Amino acid sequence: MTRTVTMAAATAGHAEGGSTLNAFDNALLAAGIGNINLIKVSSIIPPDVSIVELPKIKPGALIPTAYAAATSEVPGETVAAAVGYALPDDPAKAGVIMEFHGVGTREAAERAIEAMLDEAFRVRGETMREMRVVAVEHTVERIGCALAAVTLLAEEDLV
Amino acid sequence: MTRTVTMAAATAGHAEGGSTLNAFDNALLAAGIGNINLIKVSSIIPPDVSIVELPKIKPGALIPTAYAAATSEVPGETVAAAVGYALPDDPAKAGVIMEFHGVGTREAAERAIEAMLDEAFRVRGETMREMRVVAVEHTVERIGCALAAVTLLAEEDLV
Amino acid sequence: MTRTVTMAAATAGHAEGGSTLNAFDNALLAAGIGNINLIKVSSIIPPDVSIVELPKIKPGALIPTAYAAATSEVPGETVAAAVGYALPDDPAKAGVIMEFHGVGTREAAERAIEAMLDEAFRVRGETMREMRVVAVEHTVERIGCALAAVTLLAEEDLV
């Protein structure tokens, strides 16, 4: 794209909803990204990108995002979603994002992400400068969703 | 993206095909969007976007689109797909798009979309200026697909 | 998008991994596209696009890509992924990309793609100038992935 990604921000949220899509929408709102257009990407942080706290994004902006969502209609079930990123020692190299969703706890999702990032760096022959995992769990009342995301942002996306 | 979305257009189509992917491709052609590249988005109409009838789009253009497709290989089964959008009273706020696909009739898909849009506006604390649902059903002969979509268009996408 | 696609490049790869997502990541690396952001598209080659060998792409670039991936955790199982494209006689018309993934051999995947492209051209009333299928299979040891992709590239994506 002609868009220049200069920032990445991770976030997570969870919610109930009247349908699985509303639960997903409500989890996006809880995560602060419910009024933008997510474009799913797999899943690289470009070199020279700053990690930032989630900024205020223009409503309806088209935002490349690596995300994972776990929805369930089983009352009492706990679902979890996590994303994590790792940045290499060499700032000219790309970072890697991994996503996880499934039945289980936040801690299990975090461990899954860490193992995936470790492998991604091992196979690339890179050493990590920094790793961060953002995870969330949700115990379903009726219909619920756990959502975690890394947004890839350009200056023009911000309010 | 650096792209500026200024128009949104809803459409729907249904078709048989020799494979599920051909049925999907044929449903896209029936809907008038078979020769463009759909990029799936979830699912917001930016502020100040005009709702238009589906215009002629450049072949191969990369078009952010909220869509739902129901495919089936069960002869006699009826599947439906629907999209709907709702726009807020406050034109500076974003609109919301919801998608539905599944076994069932067009009417059931429409009702599902209406309920989802109602909830999306209730949780946002917005009141609706306008709501529209586009739905289609397909009764399968051999392999069929029902498809509904809202395309988000920029001036440069048009022929 | 404001991006101008001028090149398309097909590639494929397969790999084992410690998780299904790592197997997918490793298959992307094997295919030469492991350090970019894939944006899934369905699935058109714009007119006047050159078919090229996969060039060196900027790390983290956002690349519209038609792709298919088959992952399996069943040791001994053979999975296959394939993409194919067909270009029309009329260079002002768009080409079509089809994707396939599933349990089975590379040859079966290739035949499936050919049949899908034949149908796509028949329903469009176009005749083919050129067809190419890229397919790969993987026999699973523990967790494996077969991946095939057509990337849609602009000049600014290249190193």
Side-chain angles (χ1 to χ4, degrees), chain C residues 48-70:
Chain C
D48 301 317
V49 159
S50 305
I51 307 296
V52 299
E53 288 303 296
L54 187 70
K56 210 160 153 41
I57 303 171
K58 286 179 188 162
L62 298 159
I63 306 295
T65 304
Y67 63 92

mmCIF file with all atom_site columns, all heavy atoms in Angstrom, chain C residues 48-70:
data_model
loop_
_atom_site.group_PDB
_atom_site.id
_atom_site.type_symbol
_atom_site.label_atom_id
_atom_site.label_alt_id
_atom_site.label_comp_id
_atom_site.label_asym_id
_atom_site.label_entity_id
_atom_site.label_seq_id
_atom_site.pdbx_PDB_ins_code
_atom_site.Cartn_x
_atom_site.Cartn_y
_atom_site.Cartn_z
_atom_site.occupancy
_atom_site.B_iso_or_equiv
_atom_site.pdbx_formal_charge
_atom_site.auth_seq_id
_atom_site.auth_comp_id
_atom_site.auth_asym_id
_atom_site.auth_atom_id
_atom_site.pdbx_PDB_model_num
ATOM 1   N N   . ASP C 1 48 ? -3.409 -5.160  -17.639 1.00 0.00 ? 48 ASP C N   1
ATOM 2   C CA  . ASP C 1 48 ? -2.105 -4.528  -17.832 1.00 0.00 ? 48 ASP C CA  1
ATOM 3   C C   . ASP C 1 48 ? -1.136 -4.767  -16.685 1.00 0.00 ? 48 ASP C C   1
ATOM 4   O O   . ASP C 1 48 ? -0.269 -3.944  -16.397 1.00 0.00 ? 48 ASP C O   1
ATOM 5   C CB  . ASP C 1 48 ? -2.257 -3.013  -18.046 1.00 0.00 ? 48 ASP C CB  1
ATOM 6   C CG  . ASP C 1 48 ? -3.133 -2.703  -19.254 1.00 0.00 ? 48 ASP C CG  1
ATOM 7   O OD1 . ASP C 1 48 ? -2.957 -3.370  -20.287 1.00 0.00 ? 48 ASP C OD1 1
ATOM 8   O OD2 . ASP C 1 48 ? -3.991 -1.821  -19.160 1.00 0.00 ? 48 ASP C OD2 1
ATOM 9   N N   . VAL C 1 49 ? -1.297 -5.899  -16.004 1.00 0.00 ? 49 VAL C N   1
ATOM 10  C CA  . VAL C 1 49 ? -0.365 -6.277  -14.949 1.00 0.00 ? 49 VAL C CA  1
ATOM 11  C C   . VAL C 1 49 ? 0.637  -7.281  -15.524 1.00 0.00 ? 49 VAL C C   1
ATOM 12  O O   . VAL C 1 49 ? 0.252  -8.190  -16.252 1.00 0.00 ? 49 VAL C O   1
ATOM 13  C CB  . VAL C 1 49 ? -1.141 -6.869  -13.752 1.00 0.00 ? 49 VAL C CB  1
ATOM 14  C CG1 . VAL C 1 49 ? -0.256 -7.717  -12.869 1.00 0.00 ? 49 VAL C CG1 1
ATOM 15  C CG2 . VAL C 1 49 ? -1.802 -5.748  -12.960 1.00 0.00 ? 49 VAL C CG2 1
ATOM 16  N N   . SER C 1 50 ? 1.909  -7.103  -15.192 1.00 0.00 ? 50 SER C N   1
ATOM 17  C CA  . SER C 1 50 ? 2.933  -8.035  -15.659 1.00 0.00 ? 50 SER C CA  1
ATOM 18  C C   . SER C 1 50 ? 3.075  -9.193  -14.686 1.00 0.00 ? 50 SER C C   1
ATOM 19  O O   . SER C 1 50 ? 3.110  -8.982  -13.471 1.00 0.00 ? 50 SER C O   1
ATOM 20  C CB  . SER C 1 50 ? 4.297  -7.333  -15.740 1.00 0.00 ? 50 SER C CB  1
ATOM 21  O OG  . SER C 1 50 ? 4.226  -6.191  -16.545 1.00 0.00 ? 50 SER C OG  1
ATOM 22  N N   . ILE C 1 51 ? 3.175  -10.395 -15.208 1.00 0.00 ? 51 ILE C N   1
ATOM 23  C CA  . ILE C 1 51 ? 3.486  -11.559 -14.374 1.00 0.00 ? 51 ILE C CA  1
ATOM 24  C C   . ILE C 1 51 ? 5.005  -11.610 -14.223 1.00 0.00 ? 51 ILE C C   1
ATOM 25  O O   . ILE C 1 51 ? 5.738  -11.623 -15.218 1.00 0.00 ? 51 ILE C O   1
ATOM 26  C CB  . ILE C 1 51 ? 2.974  -12.851 -15.039 1.00 0.00 ? 51 ILE C CB  1
ATOM 27  C CG1 . ILE C 1 51 ? 1.487  -12.727 -15.388 1.00 0.00 ? 51 ILE C CG1 1
ATOM 28  C CG2 . ILE C 1 51 ? 3.271  -14.031 -14.143 1.00 0.00 ? 51 ILE C CG2 1
ATOM 29  C CD1 . ILE C 1 51 ? 0.557  -12.575 -14.218 1.00 0.00 ? 51 ILE C CD1 1
ATOM 30  N N   . VAL C 1 52 ? 5.466  -11.624 -12.984 1.00 0.00 ? 52 VAL C N   1
ATOM 31  C CA  . VAL C 1 52 ? 6.916  -11.588 -12.727 1.00 0.00 ? 52 VAL C CA  1
ATOM 32  C C   . VAL C 1 52 ? 7.291  -12.716 -11.766 1.00 0.00 ? 52 VAL C C   1
ATOM 33  O O   . VAL C 1 52 ? 6.438  -13.281 -11.075 1.00 0.00 ? 52 VAL C O   1
ATOM 34  C CB  . VAL C 1 52 ? 7.335  -10.227 -12.112 1.00 0.00 ? 52 VAL C CB  1
ATOM 35  C CG1 . VAL C 1 52 ? 7.004  -9.085  -13.071 1.00 0.00 ? 52 VAL C CG1 1
ATOM 36  C CG2 . VAL C 1 52 ? 6.686  -9.995  -10.757 1.00 0.00 ? 52 VAL C CG2 1
ATOM 37  N N   . GLU C 1 53 ? 8.602  -13.030 -11.742 1.00 0.00 ? 53 GLU C N   1
ATOM 38  C CA  . GLU C 1 53 ? 9.112  -13.898 -10.679 1.00 0.00 ? 53 GLU C CA  1
ATOM 39  C C   . GLU C 1 53 ? 9.059  -13.114 -9.380  1.00 0.00 ? 53 GLU C C   1
ATOM 40  O O   . GLU C 1 53 ? 9.222  -11.890 -9.380  1.00 0.00 ? 53 GLU C O   1
ATOM 41  C CB  . GLU C 1 53 ? 10.559 -14.319 -10.978 1.00 0.00 ? 53 GLU C CB  1
ATOM 42  C CG  . GLU C 1 53 ? 10.676 -15.322 -12.104 1.00 0.00 ? 53 GLU C CG  1
ATOM 43  C CD  . GLU C 1 53 ? 9.850  -16.588 -11.846 1.00 0.00 ? 53 GLU C CD  1
ATOM 44  O OE1 . GLU C 1 53 ? 10.146 -17.302 -10.882 1.00 0.00 ? 53 GLU C OE1 1
ATOM 45  O OE2 . GLU C 1 53 ? 8.879  -16.813 -12.602 1.00 0.00 ? 53 GLU C OE2 1
ATOM 46  N N   . LEU C 1 54 ? 8.852  -13.802 -8.271  1.00 0.00 ? 54 LEU C N   1
ATOM 47  C CA  . LEU C 1 54 ? 8.712  -13.115 -6.980  1.00 0.00 ? 54 LEU C CA  1
ATOM 48  C C   . LEU C 1 54 ? 9.935  -12.233 -6.722  1.00 0.00 ? 54 LEU C C   1
ATOM 49  O O   . LEU C 1 54 ? 11.054 -12.722 -6.613  1.00 0.00 ? 54 LEU C O   1
ATOM 50  C CB  . LEU C 1 54 ? 8.571  -14.134 -5.850  1.00 0.00 ? 54 LEU C CB  1
ATOM 51  C CG  . LEU C 1 54 ? 8.243  -13.535 -4.476  1.00 0.00 ? 54 LEU C CG  1
ATOM 52  C CD1 . LEU C 1 54 ? 6.826  -12.976 -4.448  1.00 0.00 ? 54 LEU C CD1 1
ATOM 53  C CD2 . LEU C 1 54 ? 8.411  -14.577 -3.379  1.00 0.00 ? 54 LEU C CD2 1
ATOM 54  N N   . PRO C 1 55 ? 9.715  -10.913 -6.635  1.00 0.00 ? 55 PRO C N   1
ATOM 55  C CA  . PRO C 1 55 ? 10.849 -10.015 -6.388  1.00 0.00 ? 55 PRO C CA  1
ATOM 56  C C   . PRO C 1 55 ? 11.108 -9.876  -4.880  1.00 0.00 ? 55 PRO C C   1
ATOM 57  O O   . PRO C 1 55 ? 10.389 -10.454 -4.061  1.00 0.00 ? 55 PRO C O   1
ATOM 58  C CB  . PRO C 1 55 ? 10.352 -8.688  -6.969  1.00 0.00 ? 55 PRO C CB  1
ATOM 59  C CG  . PRO C 1 55 ? 8.871  -8.727  -6.773  1.00 0.00 ? 55 PRO C CG  1
ATOM 60  C CD  . PRO C 1 55 ? 8.454  -10.176 -6.794  1.00 0.00 ? 55 PRO C CD  1
ATOM 61  N N   . LYS C 1 56 ? 12.123 -9.129  -4.524  1.00 0.00 ? 56 LYS C N   1
ATOM 62  C CA  . LYS C 1 56 ? 12.410 -8.856  -3.119  1.00 0.00 ? 56 LYS C CA  1
ATOM 63  C C   . LYS C 1 56 ? 11.473 -7.728  -2.677  1.00 0.00 ? 56 LYS C C   1
ATOM 64  O O   . LYS C 1 56 ? 11.462 -6.651  -3.269  1.00 0.00 ? 56 LYS C O   1
ATOM 65  C CB  . LYS C 1 56 ? 13.886 -8.449  -2.974  1.00 0.00 ? 56 LYS C CB  1
ATOM 66  C CG  . LYS C 1 56 ? 14.479 -8.827  -1.633  1.00 0.00 ? 56 LYS C CG  1
ATOM 67  C CD  . LYS C 1 56 ? 16.004 -8.868  -1.656  1.00 0.00 ? 56 LYS C CD  1
ATOM 68  C CE  . LYS C 1 56 ? 16.581 -8.577  -0.267  1.00 0.00 ? 56 LYS C CE  1
ATOM 69  N NZ  . LYS C 1 56 ? 15.853 -9.213  0.856   1.00 0.00 ? 56 LYS C NZ  1
ATOM 70  N N   . ILE C 1 57 ? 10.686 -7.999  -1.657  1.00 0.00 ? 57 ILE C N   1
ATOM 71  C CA  . ILE C 1 57 ? 9.644  -7.070  -1.197  1.00 0.00 ? 57 ILE C CA  1
ATOM 72  C C   . ILE C 1 57 ? 10.096 -6.458  0.122   1.00 0.00 ? 57 ILE C C   1
ATOM 73  O O   . ILE C 1 57 ? 10.734 -7.118  0.942   1.00 0.00 ? 57 ILE C O   1
ATOM 74  C CB  . ILE C 1 57 ? 8.305  -7.815  -1.027  1.00 0.00 ? 57 ILE C CB  1
ATOM 75  C CG1 . ILE C 1 57 ? 7.894  -8.486  -2.349  1.00 0.00 ? 57 ILE C CG1 1
ATOM 76  C CG2 . ILE C 1 57 ? 7.208  -6.874  -0.541  1.00 0.00 ? 57 ILE C CG2 1
ATOM 77  C CD1 . ILE C 1 57 ? 6.705  -9.426  -2.232  1.00 0.00 ? 57 ILE C CD1 1
ATOM 78  N N   . LYS C 1 58 ? 9.753  -5.190  0.328   1.00 0.00 ? 58 LYS C N   1
ATOM 79  C CA  . LYS C 1 58 ? 10.126 -4.507  1.571   1.00 0.00 ? 58 LYS C CA  1
ATOM 80  C C   . LYS C 1 58 ? 9.553  -5.239  2.780   1.00 0.00 ? 58 LYS C C   1
ATOM 81  O O   . LYS C 1 58 ? 8.351  -5.565  2.799   1.00 0.00 ? 58 LYS C O   1
ATOM 82  C CB  . LYS C 1 58 ? 9.571  -3.076  1.570   1.00 0.00 ? 58 LYS C CB  1
ATOM 83  C CG  . LYS C 1 58 ? 10.295 -2.128  0.654   1.00 0.00 ? 58 LYS C CG  1
ATOM 84  C CD  . LYS C 1 58 ? 9.646  -0.736  0.717   1.00 0.00 ? 58 LYS C CD  1
ATOM 85  C CE  . LYS C 1 58 ? 10.225 0.183   -0.340  1.00 0.00 ? 58 LYS C CE  1
ATOM 86  N NZ  . LYS C 1 58 ? 9.376  1.356   -0.616  1.00 0.00 ? 58 LYS C NZ  1
ATOM 87  N N   . PRO C 1 59 ? 10.360 -5.454  3.830   1.00 0.00 ? 59 PRO C N   1
ATOM 88  C CA  . PRO C 1 59 ? 9.829  -6.105  5.035   1.00 0.00 ? 59 PRO C CA  1
ATOM 89  C C   . PRO C 1 59 ? 8.641  -5.324  5.591   1.00 0.00 ? 59 PRO C C   1
ATOM 90  O O   . PRO C 1 59 ? 8.686  -4.093  5.687   1.00 0.00 ? 59 PRO C O   1
ATOM 91  C CB  . PRO C 1 59 ? 10.999 -6.056  6.026   1.00 0.00 ? 59 PRO C CB  1
ATOM 92  C CG  . PRO C 1 59 ? 12.215 -5.739  5.229   1.00 0.00 ? 59 PRO C CG  1
ATOM 93  C CD  . PRO C 1 59 ? 11.772 -5.064  3.967   1.00 0.00 ? 59 PRO C CD  1
ATOM 94  N N   . GLY C 1 60 ? 7.591  -6.032  5.931   1.00 0.00 ? 60 GLY C N   1
ATOM 95  C CA  . GLY C 1 60 ? 6.421  -5.399  6.535   1.00 0.00 ? 60 GLY C CA  1
ATOM 96  C C   . GLY C 1 60 ? 5.476  -4.744  5.560   1.00 0.00 ? 60 GLY C C   1
ATOM 97  O O   . GLY C 1 60 ? 4.423  -4.233  5.963   1.00 0.00 ? 60 GLY C O   1
ATOM 98  N N   . ALA C 1 61 ? 5.809  -4.750  4.262   1.00 0.00 ? 61 ALA C N   1
ATOM 99  C CA  . ALA C 1 61 ? 4.915  -4.138  3.270   1.00 0.00 ? 61 ALA C CA  1
ATOM 100 C C   . ALA C 1 61 ? 3.542  -4.808  3.311   1.00 0.00 ? 61 ALA C C   1
ATOM 101 O O   . ALA C 1 61 ? 3.424  -6.005  3.590   1.00 0.00 ? 61 ALA C O   1
ATOM 102 C CB  . ALA C 1 61 ? 5.521  -4.259  1.872   1.00 0.00 ? 61 ALA C CB  1
ATOM 103 N N   . LEU C 1 62 ? 2.510  -4.012  3.039   1.00 0.00 ? 62 LEU C N   1
ATOM 104 C CA  . LEU C 1 62 ? 1.117  -4.495  3.037   1.00 0.00 ? 62 LEU C CA  1
ATOM 105 C C   . LEU C 1 62 ? 0.769  -4.935  1.626   1.00 0.00 ? 62 LEU C C   1
ATOM 106 O O   . LEU C 1 62 ? 0.606  -4.096  0.737   1.00 0.00 ? 62 LEU C O   1
ATOM 107 C CB  . LEU C 1 62 ? 0.182  -3.374  3.492   1.00 0.00 ? 62 LEU C CB  1
ATOM 108 C CG  . LEU C 1 62 ? 0.419  -2.869  4.925   1.00 0.00 ? 62 LEU C CG  1
ATOM 109 C CD1 . LEU C 1 62 ? -0.160 -1.474  5.109   1.00 0.00 ? 62 LEU C CD1 1
ATOM 110 C CD2 . LEU C 1 62 ? -0.186 -3.831  5.935   1.00 0.00 ? 62 LEU C CD2 1
ATOM 111 N N   . ILE C 1 63 ? 0.664  -6.236  1.399   1.00 0.00 ? 63 ILE C N   1
ATOM 112 C CA  . ILE C 1 63 ? 0.576  -6.773  0.043   1.00 0.00 ? 63 ILE C CA  1
ATOM 113 C C   . ILE C 1 63 ? -0.740 -7.510  -0.176  1.00 0.00 ? 63 ILE C C   1
ATOM 114 O O   . ILE C 1 63 ? -0.978 -8.574  0.417   1.00 0.00 ? 63 ILE C O   1
ATOM 115 C CB  . ILE C 1 63 ? 1.749  -7.749  -0.215  1.00 0.00 ? 63 ILE C CB  1
ATOM 116 C CG1 . ILE C 1 63 ? 3.098  -7.080  0.075   1.00 0.00 ? 63 ILE C CG1 1
ATOM 117 C CG2 . ILE C 1 63 ? 1.692  -8.278  -1.643  1.00 0.00 ? 63 ILE C CG2 1
ATOM 118 C CD1 . ILE C 1 63 ? 3.438  -5.912  -0.841  1.00 0.00 ? 63 ILE C CD1 1
ATOM 119 N N   . PRO C 1 64 ? -1.601 -6.989  -1.034  1.00 0.00 ? 64 PRO C N   1
ATOM 120 C CA  . PRO C 1 64 ? -2.815 -7.732  -1.389  1.00 0.00 ? 64 PRO C CA  1
ATOM 121 C C   . PRO C 1 64 ? -2.432 -9.066  -2.021  1.00 0.00 ? 64 PRO C C   1
ATOM 122 O O   . PRO C 1 64 ? -1.626 -9.096  -2.967  1.00 0.00 ? 64 PRO C O   1
ATOM 123 C CB  . PRO C 1 64 ? -3.498 -6.824  -2.421  1.00 0.00 ? 64 PRO C CB  1
ATOM 124 C CG  . PRO C 1 64 ? -2.891 -5.470  -2.229  1.00 0.00 ? 64 PRO C CG  1
ATOM 125 C CD  . PRO C 1 64 ? -1.505 -5.707  -1.752  1.00 0.00 ? 64 PRO C CD  1
ATOM 126 N N   . THR C 1 65 ? -2.968 -10.140 -1.498  1.00 0.00 ? 65 THR C N   1
ATOM 127 C CA  . THR C 1 65 ? -2.529 -11.473 -1.906  1.00 0.00 ? 65 THR C CA  1
ATOM 128 C C   . THR C 1 65 ? -3.716 -12.425 -1.917  1.00 0.00 ? 65 THR C C   1
ATOM 129 O O   . THR C 1 65 ? -4.500 -12.461 -0.969  1.00 0.00 ? 65 THR C O   1
ATOM 130 C CB  . THR C 1 65 ? -1.469 -12.004 -0.900  1.00 0.00 ? 65 THR C CB  1
ATOM 131 O OG1 . THR C 1 65 ? -0.389 -11.065 -0.819  1.00 0.00 ? 65 THR C OG1 1
ATOM 132 C CG2 . THR C 1 65 ? -0.926 -13.352 -1.326  1.00 0.00 ? 65 THR C CG2 1
ATOM 133 N N   . ALA C 1 66 ? -3.826 -13.177 -2.995  1.00 0.00 ? 66 ALA C N   1
ATOM 134 C CA  . ALA C 1 66 ? -4.778 -14.287 -3.029  1.00 0.00 ? 66 ALA C CA  1
ATOM 135 C C   . ALA C 1 66 ? -4.023 -15.527 -2.598  1.00 0.00 ? 66 ALA C C   1
ATOM 136 O O   . ALA C 1 66 ? -2.999 -15.856 -3.212  1.00 0.00 ? 66 ALA C O   1
ATOM 137 C CB  . ALA C 1 66 ? -5.346 -14.461 -4.440  1.00 0.00 ? 66 ALA C CB  1
ATOM 138 N N   . TYR C 1 67 ? -4.476 -16.183 -1.536  1.00 0.00 ? 67 TYR C N   1
ATOM 139 C CA  . TYR C 1 67 ? -3.704 -17.338 -1.084  1.00 0.00 ? 67 TYR C CA  1
ATOM 140 C C   . TYR C 1 67 ? -4.587 -18.423 -0.517  1.00 0.00 ? 67 TYR C C   1
ATOM 141 O O   . TYR C 1 67 ? -5.732 -18.185 -0.137  1.00 0.00 ? 67 TYR C O   1
ATOM 142 C CB  . TYR C 1 67 ? -2.623 -16.943 -0.075  1.00 0.00 ? 67 TYR C CB  1
ATOM 143 C CG  . TYR C 1 67 ? -3.070 -16.342 1.231   1.00 0.00 ? 67 TYR C CG  1
ATOM 144 C CD1 . TYR C 1 67 ? -3.302 -17.129 2.349   1.00 0.00 ? 67 TYR C CD1 1
ATOM 145 C CD2 . TYR C 1 67 ? -3.224 -14.967 1.357   1.00 0.00 ? 67 TYR C CD2 1
ATOM 146 C CE1 . TYR C 1 67 ? -3.676 -16.572 3.562   1.00 0.00 ? 67 TYR C CE1 1
ATOM 147 C CE2 . TYR C 1 67 ? -3.606 -14.404 2.563   1.00 0.00 ? 67 TYR C CE2 1
ATOM 148 C CZ  . TYR C 1 67 ? -3.833 -15.206 3.663   1.00 0.00 ? 67 TYR C CZ  1
ATOM 149 O OH  . TYR C 1 67 ? -4.206 -14.646 4.860   1.00 0.00 ? 67 TYR C OH  1
ATOM 150 N N   . ALA C 1 68 ? -4.009 -19.613 -0.493  1.00 0.00 ? 68 ALA C N   1
ATOM 151 C CA  . ALA C 1 68 ? -4.660 -20.775 0.086   1.00 0.00 ? 68 ALA C CA  1
ATOM 152 C C   . ALA C 1 68 ? -3.645 -21.475 0.956   1.00 0.00 ? 68 ALA C C   1
ATOM 153 O O   . ALA C 1 68 ? -2.483 -21.624 0.564   1.00 0.00 ? 68 ALA C O   1
ATOM 154 C CB  . ALA C 1 68 ? -5.146 -21.712 -1.011  1.00 0.00 ? 68 ALA C CB  1
ATOM 155 N N   . ALA C 1 69 ? -4.068 -21.916 2.124   1.00 0.00 ? 69 ALA C N   1
ATOM 156 C CA  . ALA C 1 69 ? -3.182 -22.641 3.033   1.00 0.00 ? 69 ALA C CA  1
ATOM 157 C C   . ALA C 1 69 ? -3.923 -23.842 3.581   1.00 0.00 ? 69 ALA C C   1
ATOM 158 O O   . ALA C 1 69 ? -5.072 -23.734 3.999   1.00 0.00 ? 69 ALA C O   1
ATOM 159 C CB  . ALA C 1 69 ? -2.740 -21.736 4.176   1.00 0.00 ? 69 ALA C CB  1
ATOM 160 N N   . ALA C 1 70 ? -3.253 -24.972 3.577   1.00 0.00 ? 70 ALA C N   1
ATOM 161 C CA  . ALA C 1 70 ? -3.800 -26.194 4.179   1.00 0.00 ? 70 ALA C CA  1
ATOM 162 C C   . ALA C 1 70 ? -2.895 -26.581 5.334   1.00 0.00 ? 70 ALA C C   1
ATOM 163 O O   . ALA C 1 70 ? -1.700 -26.814 5.130   1.00 0.00 ? 70 ALA C O   1
ATOM 164 C CB  . ALA C 1 70 ? -3.854 -27.323 3.152   1.00 0.00 ? 70 ALA C CB  1
#
